[in-house]
Amino acid sequence: MTQTPIAAIILAAGKGTRMKSDLHKVLHPIAGRPMLMHLMASVDALEPAKKVVVVGSGKEQLEAALAGSADLAVQEPQLGTGHAVQMAEGALTGFNGDVLILYGDVPFVPTATMQAMIDRLNAVDAPAVVVLAFEPEDPTGYGRVIVEDGRIVKMVEQKDATDAEKAVKLSNSGLMAVKAADLFALLARVTDDNAQKEYYLTDIVNIANADGRTCVAVTTDPFDVAGINSRAQLAEMEGAWQARRRVQAMDDGATLIAPETVWFAHDTVIGRDVLIEPNVFFGPGVSISDGATIRAFSHIEGASIATGCEVGPYARLRPGAVLEEKAKVGNFVEVKKARLGKGAKANHLSYIGDADVGAKANIGAGTITCNYDGYFKYKTVIGEGAFIGSNSALVAPVKIGRDAIVAAGSAVSRDVADGELRLVRAEQLVKPGWADRFHDAMRKKKG
Ligand code: UD1
Ligand code: CA
């Protein structure tokens, strides 16, 4: 089916005061991604011809986040949802398709729901407006959608509603689909003659009805249209998102011993037979291949973990950590911008940053790559099969050759050749019996 072009108008000019934040409300992250970008991803799946975000304050923040992926229209002052949509008219000059109206703080509308609204708009009875409605347990505060014989006879805000209308549960999510040609013509006729002295978007339904047109509701699951107005709702939505993602991970073949303690990012990729122990946090950009084990209390971000790797307990993988097949990163090891080749191991208490570690190399407990001099970062290269003794400091830039051994406690600041032993520590002083004589003398002195 060839589809009419689609434009999305995303409202985000509301003050968002309940967040008490300097960050724009729609940029607060869920699963490591701004809520607006979750919504944009669902919109993008429709391949829209145009996207316009309507913004009040915090325009620069939205500009930076969107990075040119959508147009911005400014609404100043904010005179209501109808007025907000009107602000997008200029950006849609010459656009003649279907318009989807969305809210930036309602981030989890599925693409299929948006498509269902568009399909309904293009059905044979050609409705003027399609409203996305839902039935919350408690509709207090929402606008009500009064439906009779399959068509909306009235849209009414809580503050303007009669008791009989307040008793209606079917509520307005705020989201609509309207043909561009109808939308702006209807909006031009909206007034602010209501309890809140606002230009209500919902009035386009009442005006279309008065013209003898038909307006209809598409009903959806309350979760899909849940809005976020406070930090508590943000946390609630995060929880709901995580709960779904955990089930998905298990359905896809991962074992989560305590699913409710594992936190995924929006883009975490997890293979089959991956074992994730309790209390693991994933930031963005992580992929885990089949059969890897992530032990308890690990924090992992921007990392790629190959088949059969073992990570943690208490490991930290930071952006650019690449673990090749069967590599091991143990407790209290931090890895940043570093590759560990096949079967390489850093099992205890290390910092491996800006490094390339060859296959089967063994990094002893307490080894540190000294990658920073306070001004610049430098690289450490460790050859295949090299053995780094415990508590070594590798002062970058430095190369340790293949199969080389660095003795425990060495501070290595010059390259080590293949197969070399490097030992950087003071000669040992051996004094047999000295301690016994010392104790005797001191005890006598003390009496
Ligand atoms: C609106 C609907 C109501 C619906 C509810 C769902 C109207 C008149 N009312 O209520 O029927 O049940 O959403 O949550 O449409 N915004 C702007 N500029 C403005 C005003 C709002 O951009 O001048 C944006 C907000 O950022 C937000 C959205 O529009 O994303 C909704 O605003 P909000 O004030 O939460 O909704 P209500 O008007 O109370
Ligand atoms: Ca409101």
Side-chain angles (χ1 to χ4, degrees):
M1 162 179 148
T2 56
Q3 189 165 267
T4 330
I6 295 171
I9 299 175
I10 296 111
L11 302 190
K15 294 256 184 295
T17 38
R18 282 165 66 194
M19 293 300 278
K20 300 204 175 94
S21 179
D22 292 336
L23 182 65
H24 194 292
K25 175 159 93 169
V26 302
L27 296 182
H28 279 262
I30 292 169
R33 178 199 230 177
M35 61 175 100
L36 176 64
M37 303 319 281
H38 281 281
L39 180 64
M40 286 306 203
S42 300
V43 171
D44 284 342
L46 295 173
E47 298 178 5
K50 272 275 186 192
K51 289 178 281 179
V52 186
V53 177
V54 180
V55 62
S57 58
K59 178 170 181 251
E60 301 70 26
Q61 291 182 3
L62 288 197
E63 242 159 17
L66 289 163
S69 64
D71 290 344
L72 282 169
V74 176
Q75 185 200 19
E76 193 63 61
Q78 288 91 45
L79 302 178
T81 49
H83 178 250
V85 173
Q86 266 184 314
M87 298 302 108
E89 187 171 4
L92 293 182
T93 305
F95 175 80
N96 204 14
D98 299 343
V99 179
L100 260 179
I101 298 161
L102 305 163
Y103 288 179
D105 54 2
V106 178
F108 292 115
V109 186
T111 303
T113 304
M114 298 178 189
Q115 185 66 58
M117 294 167 71
I118 293 289
D119 290 348
R120 185 68 191 84
L121 184 67
N122 289 288
V124 281
D125 59 341
V129 182
V130 175
V131 172
L132 186 63
F134 68 115
E135 274 206 24
E137 261 172 50
D138 175 11
T140 309
Y142 291 112
R144 303 300 205 285
V145 185
I146 317 294
V147 174
E148 277 170 24
D149 300 327
R151 44 179 298 200
I152 303 174
V153 293
K154 188 179 179 188
M155 299 282 291
V156 62
E157 291 302 288
Q158 169 90 22
K159 286 181 179 149
D160 302 297
T162 64
D163 286 344
E165 287 163 347
K166 281 178 193 159
V168 171
K169 274 205 160 184
L170 192 66
S171 298
N172 175 26
S173 72
L175 281 56
M176 294 188 187
V178 196
K179 300 260 169 205
D182 289 328
L183 177 62
F184 297 109
L186 289 166
L187 277 173
R189 294 160 63 192
V190 170
T191 68
D192 64 354
D193 183 16
N194 53 56
Q196 302 186 82
K197 293 274 165 281
E198 281 182 15
Y199 294 86
Y200 291 166
L201 174 62
T202 46
D203 274 353
I204 65 172
V205 170
N206 301 326
I207 293 166
N209 277 339
D211 289 351
R213 307 273 310 263
T214 303
C215 299
V216 296
V218 164
T219 307
T220 195
D221 185 299
F223 177 85
D224 297 343
V225 290
I228 296 168
N229 297 300
S230 65
R231 307 257 185 179
Q233 285 173 348
L234 183 70
E236 213 174 286
M237 190 58 96
E238 176 82 43
W241 189 95
Q242 294 291 344
R244 290 184 167 203
R245 185 66 186 86
R246 290 162 189 146
V247 169
Q248 183 68 51
M250 293 186 281
D251 283 350
D252 292 346
T255 293
L256 275 55
I257 295 173
E260 65 287 358
T261 67
V262 176
W263 296 81
F264 293 108
H266 65 97
D267 59 352
T268 312
V269 177
I270 316 156
R272 283 164 60 116
D273 292 317
V274 167
L275 169 64
I276 304 176
E277 291 186 354
N279 296 297
V280 172
F281 182 92
F282 294 100
V286 176
S287 74
I288 310 167
S289 300
D290 296 351
T293 297
I294 313 295
R295 300 205 182 283
F297 294 99
S298 293
H299 190 287
I300 300 172
E301 182 176 11
S304 132
I305 300 169
T307 299
C309 286
E310 280 185 45
V311 175
Y314 299 98
R316 174 146 190 232
L317 302 185
R318 290 172 51 202
V322 175
L323 273 49
E324 295 183 350
E325 244 170 83
K326 294 194 171 152
K328 279 181 76 177
V329 171
N331 36 243
F332 305 105
V333 173
E334 174 180 348
V335 179
K336 183 218 79 170
K337 223 176 167 187
R339 178 187 77 98
L340 266 70
K342 281 188 189 176
K345 292 177 189 167
N347 277 337
H348 337 264
L349 301 158
S350 277
Y351 172 64
I352 317 286
D354 302 306
D356 188 78
V357 179
K360 293 226 158 89
N362 191 314
I363 312 290
T367 297
I368 305 290
T369 54
C370 310
N371 61 329
Y372 184 49
D373 60 7
Y375 297 91
F376 299 102
K377 301 272 172 74
Y378 306 92
K379 192 164 181 183
T380 301
V381 178
I382 298 172
E384 285 186 19
F387 182 97
I388 312 297
S390 295
N391 202 32
S392 292
L394 307 177
V395 184
V398 70
K399 277 192 180 133
I400 313 296
R402 156 194 292 261
D403 296 320
I405 296 177
V406 170
S410 295
V412 179
S413 54
R414 283 186 283 137
D415 290 356
V416 175
D418 291 352
E420 184 189 325
L421 165 70
R422 178 70 57 89
L423 192 148
V424 193
R425 59 192 187 215
E427 200 57 60
Q428 296 188 30
L429 204 58
V430 183
K431 297 198 169 186
W434 188 97
D436 284 343
R437 291 194 296 279
F438 172 78
H439 292 311
D440 286 348
M442 295 313 263
R443 280 191 201 112
K444 234 175 250 168
K445 202 168 177 177
K446 222 179 170 184

